[in-house]
């Protein structure tokens, strides 16, 4: 394998320890190659005034803007420690204005430099003061050339200024100087693309692309470079995935076929409804995979309530029919208990194999969670190792070393984004041979994202809702602008309960004292939840109250608008037995209103629940709101989802809520959600634990590049799985997709 020592060298040698430390700690850049792949976010031109309108979405973030000074005022103020000076500078882009503030002894230099009419690059943290955006003590770099230096002025006039993703300790123009120091080394990069592929696609060489992306002379240079660098990222990713698919196809597996007249047929015969066309079609794809002698690797994605669990259960029963065992891994105890309860209810006497009154064709269905008592846990472990239990539903407890199977044939992972690679692999390794794998998600994934993130999995889509499902009406409740709308929302909840139905009230926080620092409920701690909360926090005015909490809201409701109704709480830090008790009583209809965190986001199925009120809905992501709303309208009565928000009508947060209210199409909402987030989020950066390798490719927009790269990668890997004849590609694979990330791409 080739190494490129100069490019792999630590940046300390080139830039000095202080700068290298900031680049490493703040931006994750360690080598010259890392820095060469730290591309400008955009480019500024002389005469171009950069839009300031976007800053409202970037409160508390470090930004770089190019703008013109409109006015500058030096003020004297009296404070508790005596008098002082404050410089207020207003900058403009012709359509918006932004205030800069400098205090104390720091006012003199900017007062001299930032004269009205002058232009500069400014970098700082966007804040709010008196309901206005401002940068306090920003760093700046004047853009005016010395009038006596005609050559410099002419050069500056035509120059495209790269604006780099920066941080508080290192502004964009300082990063540009760092790049200048390593740019000569671009001559030494190894080109990963096979020459024939590069020529066929009309792509510039990699060295040229790097020079053009960092120091373009024309806009055409930028387009050439971007076209090439997108191809690199798409192709290297797709090669990693193609190699994984190829390796999986070489693994042995036991074919699993249902027995005629066996458990699956008995189960189908007692179903009180007909499977949808989509369920039948997807089941056939899965059964065809299970019958082969290499492991199935399939992603089953389906709309909320499309019947994925039924499809997964039938696959599990087919495996039990063939003499194997099937395990379902759920992200939370609430969901594992819910799956266990619903599966045993659907199977009836077929879930009581070996028990009195059980069917002689049946099997045992066991639950395994971390909080189970010792006797129940010991029995469950015994049932698994002897093969007495054909089906097991569990949480992370399934992964522990003590858990052994008689013959594990199928692993079903529910809500895959809640699990790390190691967890999935640990469960798969419990089979005598690699078991078949079915990964499920209720978060619809646009095609390009599926090809990029789950490129080693075959994909099945369930987009048809079972008969009898009712439509869900969604409305935004502007609690601050129109308080009577919120009062009406509670009236609607009471009306639904009086009509024999039940309701959910969802809050972003528990409120038990342990989460007062803004941490969300247990179920909302995922990357999406964190990203959504950060975005929401960025839209406040600096005086925003903490998120509403389950315990507080439950108390307010029982004393106020829902007095007299049976209201209970559910959250991730409750004792497991208490959680199970609350869910049982809610499922049975005894509890009328469940005030919960996002612990009820997935899998919870109570058809009698018809209304959901989501408090502080702006603090959740678009896809998460869609997931939550899917808990209602699961029976014959229409569903109602009310999104309560105090954000003002013109805010981006309210626009997101309006998008959710406007459509029930999860794929459309997923697209909106992904367009509002960075590519690192799209690729599950938080799951992988390392930086996203995508810096140029936009998985939503670059469908054509991704599709073509996938085809080329499949062809290249089929001809040379070890890439022995393509050392440059092998080097790029090692550089861009380090060991951790390549494991992440295994997705299971």
């Amino acid at each position: 394998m080739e190494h490129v020592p100069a490019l792999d060298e630590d940046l300390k040698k080139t830039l000095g320890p202080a700068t290298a430390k900031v680049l490493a700690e703040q931006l994750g850049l360690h080598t010259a190659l890392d820095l060469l792949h730290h591309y400008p976010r955009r480019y500024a031109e002389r005469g171009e005034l950069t839009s300031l309108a976007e800053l409202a979405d970037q409160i508390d973030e470090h930004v770089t803007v190019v703008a013109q000074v409109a006015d500058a005022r030096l003020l004297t103020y009296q404070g508790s420690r005596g008098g002082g000076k404050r410089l207020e500078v207003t900058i403009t882009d012709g359509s918006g204005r932004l205030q800069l503030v400098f205090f104390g002894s720091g006012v003199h230099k900017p007062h001299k430099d930032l004269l009205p009419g002058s232009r500069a690059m400014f970098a700082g943290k966007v804040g709010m003061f008196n309901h206005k955006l401002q940068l306090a003590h920003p760093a700046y770099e004047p853009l005016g050339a010395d009038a006596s230096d005609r050559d410099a002025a002419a050069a500056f006039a035509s120059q495209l200024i790269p604006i780099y993703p920066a941080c508080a300790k290192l502004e964009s123009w300082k990063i540009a100087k760092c790049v200048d120091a390593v740019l000569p080394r671009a001559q030494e990069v190894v080109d990963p693309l096979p020459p024939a592929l590069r020529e066929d696609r009309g792509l510039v060489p990699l060295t040229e692309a790097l020079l053009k992306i960092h120091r373009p002379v024309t806009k055409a240079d930028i387009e050439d470079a971007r076209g090439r660098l997108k191809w690199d990222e798409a192709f290297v990713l797709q090669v990693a995935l193609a190699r994984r698919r190829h390796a999986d196809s070489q693994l042995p597996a036991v074919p699993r076929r249902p027995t005629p007249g066996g458990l699956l047929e008995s189960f189908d015969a007692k179903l009180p409804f007909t499977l949808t066309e989509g369920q039948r079609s997807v089941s056939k794809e899965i059964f065809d995979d299970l019958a082969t002698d290499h492991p199935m690797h399939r992603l089953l994605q389906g709309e909320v309530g499309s019947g994925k669990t039924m499809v997964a259960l039938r696959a599990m029963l087919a495996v039990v029919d063939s003499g194997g065992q099937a395990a379902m891994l759920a992200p939370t105890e609430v969901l594992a208990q819910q799956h266990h309860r619903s599966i045993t209810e659907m199977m009836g006497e077929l879930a009581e194999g070996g028990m009195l009154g059980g069917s002689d064709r049946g099997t045992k269905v066991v639950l395994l969670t971390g909080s189970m008592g010792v006797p129940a846990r010991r029995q469950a472990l015994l049932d698994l190792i002897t093969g007495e239990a054909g089906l097991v539903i569990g949480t992370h407890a399934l992964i522990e070393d003590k858990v052994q199977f008689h013959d594990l044939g199928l692993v079903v992972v529910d809500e895959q984004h809640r699990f790390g690679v190691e967890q999935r692999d640990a469960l798969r390794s419990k089979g005598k041979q690699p078991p078949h794998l079915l990964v499920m998600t209720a978060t619809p994934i646009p095609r390009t994202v599926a090809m990029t993130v789950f490129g080693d999995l075959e994909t099945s889509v369930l987009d048809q809702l079972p008969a009898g499902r009712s439509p869900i009406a969604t409305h935004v409740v502007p609690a601050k602008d129109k308080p009577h709308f919120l009062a009406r929302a509670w009236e609607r909840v009471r009306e639904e309960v009086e009509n024999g139905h039940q309701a959910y009230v969802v809050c972003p926080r528990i409120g038990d004292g342990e989460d007062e620092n803004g941490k969300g409920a247990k179920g909302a701690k995922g990357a999406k939840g964190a990203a959504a909360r950060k975005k929401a926090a960025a839209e406040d005015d600096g005086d925003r109250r903490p998120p509403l909490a389950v315990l507080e809201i439950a108390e307010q409701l029982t004393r106020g608008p829902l007095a007299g109704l049976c209201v209970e709480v559910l959250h991730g830090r409750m004792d497991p037995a208490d959680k199970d008790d609350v869910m049982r009583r809610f499922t049975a209809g005894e509890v009328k209103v469940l005030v919960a965190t996002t612990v009820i986001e997935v899998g919870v199925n109570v058809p009698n629940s018809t209304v959901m009120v989501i408090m502080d809905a702006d603090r959740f992501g678009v896809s998460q709101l869609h997931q939550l709303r899917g808990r209602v309208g699961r029976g014959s009565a229409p569903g109602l989802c009310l999104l309560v928000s105090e954000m003002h009508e013109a805010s981006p947060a309210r626009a997101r809520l309006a998008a959710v209210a406007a459509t029930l199409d999860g794929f459309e909402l997923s697209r909106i959600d992904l367009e509002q987030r960075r590519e690192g989020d799209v690729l599950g950066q938080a799951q992988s634990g390392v930086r996203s390798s995508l810096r140029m490719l936009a998985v939503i927009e670059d469908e054509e590049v991704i599709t073509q790269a996938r085809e080329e990668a499949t062809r290249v890997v089929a001809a040379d799985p070890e890439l022995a004849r393509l050392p440059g590609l092998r080097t790029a694979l090692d550089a861009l997709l380090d060991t951790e990330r390549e494991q992440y791409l295994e997705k299971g």
Side-chain angles (χ1 to χ4, degrees), residues 161-178:
I161 307 163
I163 308 293
Y164 287 93
C167 61
K169 295 181 180 177
L170 209 61
E171 294 86 9
S172 170
W173 52 88
K174 291 181 182 173
I175 292 173
K177 288 170 185 171
C178 295

Side-chain angles (χ1 to χ4, degrees), residues 59-313:
I59 293 174
D60 284 342
E61 291 189 17
H62 289 276
V63 299
T64 302
V65 296
V66 177
Q68 185 169 314
V69 176
D71 63 64
R73 294 182 300 157
L74 188 61
L75 307 171
T76 303
Y77 66 88
Q78 289 297 322
S80 57
R81 297 182 182 177
K85 292 189 184 298
R86 181 172 80 244
L87 176 66
E88 293 182 357
V89 178
T90 304
I91 59 174
T92 180
D93 65 353
S95 64
R97 297 165 83 84
L98 177 68
Q99 190 174 65
L100 316 178
V101 186
F102 302 86
F103 291 101
S105 59
V107 304
H108 303 297
K109 190 171 188 314
H111 189 222
K112 188 172 67 175
D113 293 340
L114 302 177
L115 302 174
S118 64
R119 298 180 68 257
M121 275 196 289
F122 302 92
K125 188 175 180 180
V126 182
M128 272 285 203
F129 184 72
N130 284 342
H131 302 284
K132 288 184 180 176
L133 291 170
Q134 72 166 21
L135 298 182
H137 281 285
Y140 62 90
E141 178 91 335
L143 293 179
D146 186 335
S148 64
D149 188 344
R150 298 293 176 190
D151 290 340
F156 178 71
S158 61
Q159 188 182 14
L160 288 161
I161 307 163
I163 308 293
Y164 287 93
C167 61
K169 295 181 180 177
L170 209 61
E171 294 86 9
S172 170
W173 52 88
K174 291 181 182 173
I175 292 173
K177 288 170 185 171
C178 295
V179 171
D180 283 338
V182 301
L183 204 50
R185 296 186 194 171
Q187 304 291 341
E188 302 167 39
V189 296
V190 179
D191 200 320
L193 294 192
L197 188 159
R198 193 176 73 234
E199 287 158 21
D200 288 348
R201 302 281 172 185
L203 300 168
V204 299
L206 180 55
T207 293
E208 186 181 331
L210 289 170
L211 293 172
K212 283 182 170 179
I213 201 71
H214 289 292
R215 299 295 173 262
V217 176
T218 65
K219 289 184 177 177
D221 285 351
I222 299 169
E223 289 312 303
D224 283 351
R226 281 182 170 156
R228 166 61 209 255
L229 295 168
K230 282 182 179 186
W231 248 96
D232 277 24
E233 291 178 1
F235 183 66
V236 173
L237 264 174
Q238 292 300 334
V239 166
L241 292 163
R243 293 184 75 220
R244 180 63 191 167
R245 288 196 303 274
H246 182 270
D248 284 341
S249 72
Q250 308 302 306
L251 291 173
V254 178
R256 307 285 182 175
R257 299 182 182 86
T259 309
L263 182 57
L264 179 61
E265 278 191 18
S266 300
F267 175 75
D268 284 350
K270 67 195 291 296
L271 279 180
F273 52 82
T274 307
L275 295 175
T276 65
E277 185 56 43
Q279 284 174 316
R280 284 199 294 273
S281 159
V282 168
S283 290
K284 182 181 185 307
E285 292 174 348
I286 291 170
F287 289 151
D288 288 349
D289 282 358
L290 289 174
T292 62
D293 57 9
H294 60 262
M296 169 175 77
H297 289 89
R298 188 166 286 277
L299 169 69
L300 172 56
Q301 56 168 321
E303 273 289 10
V304 177
S306 59
K308 292 181 300 299
T309 307
M310 174 59 68
V311 169
L313 175 56

Side-chain angles (χ1 to χ4, degrees), residues 6 11 13 67 78 217 413 489 509 556 609:
L11 287 169
K13 295 187 179 178
Q78 289 297 322
V217 176
V413 180
R509 200 165 58 98
Q556 288 171 23
S609 299

